[in-house]
Amino acid sequence: NAGVTQTPKFQVLKTGQSMTLQCAQDMNHEYMSWYRQDPGMGLRLIHYSVGAGITDQGEVPNGYNVSRSTTEDFPLRLLSAAPSQTSVYFCASSYGRGYAEAFFGQGTRLTVV
Amino acid sequence: GNSVTQMEGPVTLSEEAFLTINCTYTATGYPSLFWYVQYPGEGLQLLLKATKADDKGSNKGFEATYRKETTSFHLEKGSVQVSDSAVYFCALPVSGSARQLTFGSGTQLTVLP
């Protein structure tokens, strides 16, 4: 029952460093997405993918890159970390057709100092 | 585009109290509506949903009715438990997308024994 697995759970970066947040799902879901959660702002969509090889921007894509080389994996890259990227990041996946329940990972708490 | 406004928290109740968390929406047409719950240290999980007007979603003693007249989808529970302490999010699909969700800002519920 792995579902959606995110690593790491916690990370501290210095300003300007880069890193990749990993996300993997074992449910053969076509649709995957990354959100950030900030106090009082709910979840905001960063990037999403409707299938392997296809990605698109969400509401707040600046400073982040994604790729989708396989159905299972959807890593999120921070190119040059900034304090404004301090947040909790969630990866989610769902089936491809119509609306289907989104399954979320446990989140990565990132602090940029 | 579609949007959701959610009652601000935090909400603190005693065990067995009645719970209402307000959610109103703005949408084109009549999209599905959702409540997600986030327990401490975990990702979001679907609590309940309603797919058309006048539908009532229910799960774990929680209920919400899709009311198009008042554009509302309020979450209710007749008798809360300490284990219901969590953050609750109202959500609906982004305009023109069946799979992207837009979330409310979340309501923190704390239930005291």
Side-chain angles (χ1 to χ4, degrees):
Chain A
N1 276 3
V4 179
T5 303
Q6 286 184 240
T7 56
K9 287 188 169 51
F10 301 94
Q11 183 71 49
V12 178
L13 287 180
K14 293 182 179 178
T15 297
Q17 286 185 317
S18 62
M19 79 160 294
T20 299
L21 307 185
Q22 300 292 344
C23 175
Q25 54 92 7
D26 62 357
M27 298 173 282
N28 202 32
H29 285 170
E30 294 180 6
Y31 184 78
M32 296 185 73
S33 53
W34 277 102
Y35 292 88
R36 59 178 289 172
Q37 182 181 29
D38 300 295
M41 301 186 73
L43 278 76
R44 293 181 292 169
L45 183 65
I46 305 171
H47 285 285
Y48 66 97
S49 168
V50 299
I54 306 169
T55 64
D56 207 345
Q57 296 181 352
E59 181 185 358
V60 288
N62 292 342
Y64 308 94
N65 271 358
V66 292
S67 60
R68 185 96 179 268
S69 56
T70 67
T71 299
E72 295 77 19
D73 299 302
F74 190 44
L76 177 72
R77 297 183 187 83
L78 280 69
L79 308 173
S80 176
S84 60
Q85 294 179 304
T86 294
S87 187
V88 181
Y89 291 85
F90 287 99
C91 179
S93 72
S94 63
Y95 286 113
R97 294 188 180 279
Y99 179 75
E101 176 183 352
F103 292 81
F104 284 79
Q106 291 196 318
T108 296
R109 184 173 294 276
L110 175 69
T111 301
V112 182
V113 298
Chain B
N2 292 354
S3 65
V4 59
T5 301
Q6 189 174 336
M7 167 182 171
E8 293 193 13
V11 174
T12 302
L13 296 173
S14 297
E15 206 163 25
E16 300 183 2
F18 184 86
L19 168 72
T20 300
I21 300 177
N22 290 341
C23 171
T24 57
Y25 66 89
T26 301
T28 303
Y30 301 103
S32 296
L33 301 175
F34 309 90
W35 277 101
Y36 276 79
V37 59
Q38 183 182 25
Y39 297 105
E42 298 184 10
L44 281 71
Q45 55 186 273
L46 181 65
L47 178 61
L48 56 82
K49 67 180 181 183
T51 57
K52 61 182 186 295
D54 299 325
D55 258 7
K56 177 184 286 188
S58 61
N59 186 26
K60 299 182 180 181
F62 290 89
E63 294 183 339
T65 301
Y66 189 159
R67 301 201 184 279
K68 63 179 181 181
E69 306 84 8
T70 53
T71 62
S72 65
F73 192 55
H74 304 325
L75 182 68
E76 297 181 336
K77 186 174 186 181
S79 176
V80 293
Q81 305 300 312
V82 172
S83 57
D84 294 326
S85 296
V87 182
Y88 293 83
F89 293 90
C90 188
L92 78 166
V94 170
S95 300
S97 171
R99 288 172 288 187
Q100 294 179 43
L101 292 175
T102 185
F103 290 86
S105 55
T107 301
Q108 172 77 57
L109 170 67
T110 300
V111 181
L112 303 176

